[in-house]
């Protein structure tokens, strides 16, 4: 297990800027098998962390079954308006049929054995979207409990993301901050 995350920015193809990505491991309450080595993106512009199950190669038919089960069970959900929706607001779905057809719905599920970049994450739930194939986003609902620094490393000259859960600030993290950002 790691004590903190240290990620160099990856360039975005054909655009300025880039992104920070790492791997995560987790177990979801509606799957028996764990997910290991799954690519996730750190997204400080995302308020609620989301896993689009189709990104994990879950079949369309299983996603539809799981979404229907969540609707029937009354699992709490949110509507999201990200890149894949063009940022457009969706009408609030009312009927079960409207909910099944609404790609903006993400349902809150329990998550356990959760690590990001090898760092244990004390987060009891995460949202699942059954319709989208976009990136798995680690947002501010998780990151708000972390000490985060981004900038140009004095060692490598590259953009660097350093983060550590605030309850686990350790000397190794403080040394990495001092070394990279002085």
């Amino acid at each position: 297990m790691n004590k903190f995350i240290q990620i160099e920015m990856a360039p975005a193809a054909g655009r300025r800027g880039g992104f920070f990505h790492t791997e995560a491991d987790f177990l979801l309450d509606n799957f028996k098998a764990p997910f290991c080595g799954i690519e996730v993106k750190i997204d400080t512009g995302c308020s609620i962390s989301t896993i689009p199950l189709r990104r994990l190669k879950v079949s369309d038919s299983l996603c539809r079954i799981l979404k229907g089960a969540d609707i029937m069970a009354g699992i709490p959900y949110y509507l999201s308006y990200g890149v894949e929706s063009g940022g457009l607001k969706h009408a609030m779905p009312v009927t079960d049929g409207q909910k099944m057809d609404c790609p903006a719905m993400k349902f809150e599920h329990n998550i356990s054995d959760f690590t990001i970049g090898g760092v244990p994450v004390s987060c009891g739930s995460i949202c699942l979207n059954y319709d989208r194939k976009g990136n798995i986003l680690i947002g501010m609902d998780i990151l708000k409990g972390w000490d985060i620094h981004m900038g140009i490393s004095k060692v490598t000259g590259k953009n660097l993301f350093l983060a550590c859960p605030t309850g686990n600030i350790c000397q190794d993290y403080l040394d990495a901050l001092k070394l990279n950002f002085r």
Side-chain angles (χ1 to χ4, degrees), residues 142-161:
I142 292 173
L143 298 173
K144 71 182 180 189
W146 291 52
D147 186 72
I148 298 171
H149 296 268
M150 293 182 280
I152 305 295
S153 168
K154 304 296 186 209
V155 176
T156 65
K158 296 183 179 183
N159 283 294
L160 189 65
F161 176 89

Side-chain angles (χ1 to χ4, degrees), residues 29-30 64-77 96 99-100 105 107-109 130:
D29 64 0
N30 60 346
R64 193 139 179 90
I65 289 167
L66 292 171
K67 184 175 184 179
D70 281 2
I71 292 167
M72 297 309 292
I75 301 295
Y77 66 88
D96 289 350
K99 291 175 182 177
M100 286 299 293
M105 294 182 77
F107 297 84
E108 192 170 349
H109 277 271
Y130 299 107

Side-chain angles (χ1 to χ4, degrees), residues 94-105:
V94 177
T95 68
D96 289 350
Q98 289 171 336
K99 291 175 182 177
M100 286 299 293
D101 292 338
C102 180
M105 294 182 77

Side-chain angles (χ1 to χ4, degrees), residues 7-29:
I7 310 168
E8 284 188 1
M9 182 184 279
R15 297 182 296 198
R16 294 184 295 169
F19 56 91
F20 295 106
H21 67 100
T22 189
E23 292 186 346
D25 299 330
F26 50 87
L27 183 62
L28 298 170
D29 64 0

Side-chain angles (χ1 to χ4, degrees), residues 20 37 46 48 60 90 99 112 141 157-159 170-171 182:
F20 295 106
C46 172
I48 301 173
D60 292 352
H90 297 268
K99 291 175 182 177
S112 59
D141 57 328
K158 296 183 179 183
N159 283 294
C170 61
Q171 192 59 50
R182 294 189 176 59

